[in-house]
Amino acid sequence: MAEIIVEGLSHTYSAGTPFQKTAIENINLRIPQGQFVGLLGHTGSGKSTFVQHLNALLQPTSGRVLLDGEDINKDKKTRRDVKWKVGLVFQYPEYQLFEETVYADIGFGPKNMGLGKEEIDERVREAASFVGVEPELFEKSPLELSGGQKRRIAIAGVIAMRPGVLILDEPTAGLDPAGCRQIMDNICRYQRETGATVLIVSHNMDDAARLCERLIVFDHGGVVMDGTPEEVFSRPQELIQIGLAVPQSTAIAMALQEKGLALKGAVYTHEQLLMAVEAAKGAALC
Amino acid sequence: MLKDITLGQYFPGDSLIHKLDPRTKLIAVVLYIVALFQAKGWIGYGAVTLATLILMAISHISFGNIFKGLKPMLFIIVLTALLNIFYTTGTPVVEGWIITWEGIDRAVKMILRIVLLITGTFLLTYTTSPMALTDGLELLLNPLKKLHVPVHEMTIMMSMALRFIPTLIEETDKIMSAQKARGADFETGSLIQRAKALLPILVPLFVSAFRRADELAVAMESRCYHGGEGRTRMKQLHLAGRDYAALVVSALFLAGIIVLRHFGL
Ligand SMILES: Nc1ncnc2c1ncn2[C@@H]1O[C@H](COP(=O)(O)OP(=O)(O)O)[C@@H](O)[C@H]1O
Ligand SMILES: [Mg+2]
């Protein structure tokens, strides 16, 4: 089980210098086991800073983070162990590949965990299959692969630790549409098959609407919205105000409403849009 | 965090020292260093120390910032002091002791000299942006172009290096975090283990440094960069009244220290 509780979390970078910057302030959240959570927010709103607290890469300036009721910063050992329990995939993770072969790079995390050779082998193969990397690539150098492949190998490197919580910081940034879809599908499959908690930082509102069961919106270092996609996307004006986009369907629905078509309810998927338009048409005919 | 390294960092501000022309500051620092090495007696050292404190006050640089920059040098400073204390012959502090008054005298002066040397150069880099610094240096070294010294190439290399230090530090920080997230351990283990643990940082760092170099070269070429010939600058440097005043004060200061030395002070 893996339940995350965040209490009064704040972080200030370079405290006490002229470059002092409070990136997040007083964040309180409870993320139960197995939830698929989307983190939204403008660039610089503190999302990356926040997620780096969840595996103790950054230490809170104040507040604490509990994993299954235990403070992850309790001591050096818990700080290290939490890295396997909470897997964090950084933005542009392909830049961290360093081993001579794809196989060794995916196995780096499990090796650090102190696992045996066979266990590592099993995990590497499993992680590779999760992200759709064929065993033929295992002996290749990660540096000679395409951008999308590199990205998937980097994600596999974290999945190979079998984290109960998987966090991905903008995993599709800079990929072509096919690459994006593939990676999102991989992540969903991991969540479905392992029951892990997934937190995903994303700027793609359509993905967020389609895949996440809960959305947390950051602005200026604080949480400004927290709820189901339905709750969050029923307040599109606020999202636009803090510099975010809305899903395509929501945008179309808003445009239609502006033109005088009365749509009911929150609209954030194509199906909902279709239904709302049909319903409005029906109402107009009566 | 790596980010907190202040060595050679620029603290923007608008004090008188910040506003001086970089050429003035470069020359003044040279004069300062010469003066520091000309100081002989306590009065000379006192004068240099006082001057440094005044400069710190004018440029709003706190002791904390200076101390942070000194920290990496602490070992060298302590070592020099100890060597001087123990290896100077003279009158023992207590009969039969190896420590002499002369040793203490020399040790304290040595510490002062190193600390002031570092502080002086820090005042330059804290108050002058790397760009201004290299521009100033290029102009100062311009006469060497007649001797076919590639001044422009050297200074543009220097400004690129300075420009990329923060980027590389940031990048190192990021790569370290990413590897730590996969359980890499940089803090414990034997020396060999720790050296090996650097590999996951160094490989990606070099890969990205080469990529950046490549991109930078393409970007420069596509903007028609072709070396220094006929190149003008966006920010023309002009010496103002305050620069001449600062230069005169620096020169007089050096002269004063030399005079003091003459009298053994
Ligand atoms: N290592 C750092 N040092 C100093 N400031 C930082 C650092 N990382 C992020 N920041 C600042 O903290 C704020 C939040 O950044 P970040 O967490 O990266 O936001 P996001 O991921 O939402 O774009 C930004 O203003 C950013 O400039
Ligand atoms: Mg970010």
Side-chain angles (χ1 to χ4, degrees):
Chain A
M1 288 297 104
E3 186 193 44
I4 299 173
I5 295 180
V6 178
E7 291 176 346
L9 184 66
S10 303
H11 189 89
T12 304
Y13 285 107
S14 315
T17 71
F19 305 101
Q20 175 166 332
K21 165 96 202 173
T22 299
I24 50 173
E25 204 162 11
N26 192 24
I27 291 186
N28 296 285
L29 287 171
R30 200 182 136 264
I31 298 166
Q33 155 81 31
Q35 219 168 36
F36 200 116
V37 183
L39 302 178
L40 309 177
H42 198 263
T43 307
S45 57
K47 306 176 300 287
S48 300
T49 306
F50 171 70
V51 294
Q52 286 178 62
H53 280 87
L54 301 183
N55 71 343
L57 268 177
L58 289 178
Q59 267 81 60
T61 307
S62 67
R64 44 182 206 154
V65 179
L66 307 178
L67 182 67
D68 295 328
E70 191 184 39
D71 191 336
I72 62 170
N73 289 301
K74 198 177 72 186
D75 51 42
K76 230 174 150 171
K77 188 170 161 2
T78 53
R79 251 204 318 261
R80 180 133 199 261
D81 289 351
V82 74
K83 307 283 194 298
W84 343 122
K85 295 179 191 158
V86 179
L88 174 58
V89 181
F90 272 79
Q91 209 173 348
Y92 299 108
E94 55 273 29
Y95 293 147
Q96 78 204 27
L97 301 174
F98 73 99
E99 287 278 15
E100 280 169 49
T101 65
V102 168
Y103 184 88
D105 211 289
I106 300 180
F108 181 64
K111 204 175 93 199
N112 286 328
M113 295 168 78
L115 299 175
K117 235 179 146 110
E118 270 140 53
E119 175 84 31
I120 294 179
D121 185 70
E122 189 193 318
R123 286 180 176 223
V124 170
R125 285 173 195 284
E126 180 193 271
S129 91
F130 265 124
V131 297
V133 168
E134 306 294 331
E136 288 88 75
L137 293 180
F138 281 175
E139 294 311 314
K140 282 218 157 101
S141 159
L143 300 181
E144 61 190 59
L145 302 177
S146 76
Q149 279 173 322
K150 278 187 199 166
R151 180 81 54 98
R152 278 183 282 143
I153 287 160
I155 294 175
V158 172
I159 286 182
M161 302 189 294
R162 288 195 189 141
V165 179
L166 180 63
I167 306 175
L168 302 107
D169 197 347
E170 301 191 25
T172 56
L175 291 185
D176 55 80
C180 292
R181 213 172 318 116
Q182 208 162 18
I183 284 193
M184 292 312 296
D185 289 346
N186 298 154
I187 296 165
C188 290
R189 218 182 102 217
Y190 181 77
Q191 202 257 354
R192 243 189 349 261
E193 292 182 17
T194 64
T197 309
V198 171
L199 273 79
I200 181 161
V201 177
S202 178
H203 286 299
N204 187 327
M205 293 297 156
D206 290 292
D207 278 348
R210 192 163 55 91
L211 305 171
C212 300
E213 54 189 290
R214 175 180 177 187
L215 297 177
I216 300 173
V217 183
F218 281 73
D219 190 36
H220 289 103
V223 172
V224 289
M225 286 190 225
D226 179 3
T228 61
E230 175 155 5
E231 286 164 350
V232 170
F233 290 127
S234 64
R235 294 149 69 186
Q237 301 295 356
E238 285 165 62
L239 288 172
I240 291 169
Q241 204 148 48
I242 58 174
L244 293 178
V246 291
Q248 285 171 353
S249 319
T250 313
I252 296 172
M254 284 169 78
L256 287 175
Q257 265 165 331
E258 227 165 79
K259 295 266 183 231
L261 190 66
L263 299 181
K264 280 199 199 67
V267 174
Y268 53 92
T269 63
H270 297 341
E271 290 75 24
Q272 286 168 339
L273 177 62
L274 202 62
M275 267 159 53
V277 171
E278 293 285 350
K281 264 193 343 206
L285 286 177
C286 290
Chain B
M1 276 251 266
L2 280 173
K3 265 227 147 85
D4 296 330
I5 293 177
T6 51
L7 194 96
Q9 196 175 43
Y10 169 53
F11 282 88
D14 59 355
S15 72
L16 174 64
I17 309 275
H18 281 88
K19 281 190 210 139
L20 285 178
D21 188 285
R23 285 171 291 178
T24 311
K25 285 189 265 189
L26 279 164
I27 295 173
V29 162
V30 173
L31 295 179
Y32 171 89
I33 292 173
V34 176
L36 179 58
F37 281 88
Q38 287 299 317
K40 197 168 178 203
W42 286 106
I43 295 184
Y45 273 97
V48 181
T49 311
L50 188 68
T52 313
L53 291 177
I54 293 173
L55 288 175
M56 276 171 67
I58 300 178
S59 50
H60 302 298
I61 301 292
S62 70
F63 282 103
N65 291 327
I66 298 281
F67 184 73
K68 252 199 199 156
L70 283 173
K71 250 200 278 181
M73 308 286 180
L74 213 57
F75 176 72
I76 296 178
I77 296 174
V78 171
L79 188 74
T80 333
L82 287 179
L83 286 179
N84 275 295
I85 286 189
F86 286 109
Y87 289 97
T88 311
T89 47
T91 351
V93 175
V94 174
E95 203 54 52
W97 272 24
I98 189 171
I99 301 175
T100 60
W101 287 114
E102 284 80 357
I104 293 178
D105 181 275
R106 266 178 70 171
V108 175
K109 279 182 184 160
M110 229 27 199
I111 294 178
L112 258 183
R113 189 176 273 181
I114 300 177
V115 168
L116 289 175
L117 181 68
I118 298 170
T119 309
T121 41
F122 275 176
L123 279 175
L124 175 68
T125 55
Y126 280 172
T127 59
T128 320
S129 75
M131 271 330 231
L133 210 55
T134 46
D135 274 0
L137 199 63
E138 183 174 356
L139 284 176
L140 279 179
L141 296 180
N142 239 348
L144 291 181
K145 275 186 189 162
K146 296 232 163 59
L147 303 173
H148 299 291
V149 178
V151 174
H152 173 77
E153 285 71 16
M154 277 159 54
T155 49
I156 197 138
M157 265 160 65
M158 188 174 130
S159 64
M160 273 187 223
L162 285 172
R163 155 71 184 75
F164 277 99
I165 286 174
T167 313
L168 286 183
I169 288 180
E170 204 172 290
E171 191 115 341
T172 312
D173 236 9
K174 252 190 217 151
I175 295 171
M176 264 174 94
S177 299
Q179 306 299 22
K180 271 193 209 159
R182 295 204 280 166
D185 182 5
F186 306 117
E187 277 135 36
T188 53
S190 67
L191 203 61
I192 295 178
Q193 276 171 327
R194 271 196 236 187
K196 264 194 186 158
L198 287 181
L199 211 61
I201 305 176
L202 291 182
V203 174
L205 194 61
F206 272 93
V207 171
S208 94
F210 280 116
R211 196 191 61 231
R212 268 179 207 288
D214 212 31
E215 283 169 4
L216 185 64
V218 171
M220 284 169 78
E221 272 190 346
S222 52
R223 284 192 269 169
C224 303
Y225 177 80
H226 55 80
E229 215 160 307
R231 198 172 153 79
T232 53
R233 44 192 89 240
M234 189 165 97
K235 271 200 190 136
Q236 294 290 343
L237 293 176
H238 291 294
L239 290 176
R242 54 173 176 253
D243 292 300
Y244 294 113
L247 285 172
V248 170
V249 170
S250 313
L252 285 180
F253 178 71
L254 174 60
I257 297 286
I258 293 176
V259 170
L260 285 176
R261 180 190 174 84
H262 209 69
F263 292 103
L265 294 170

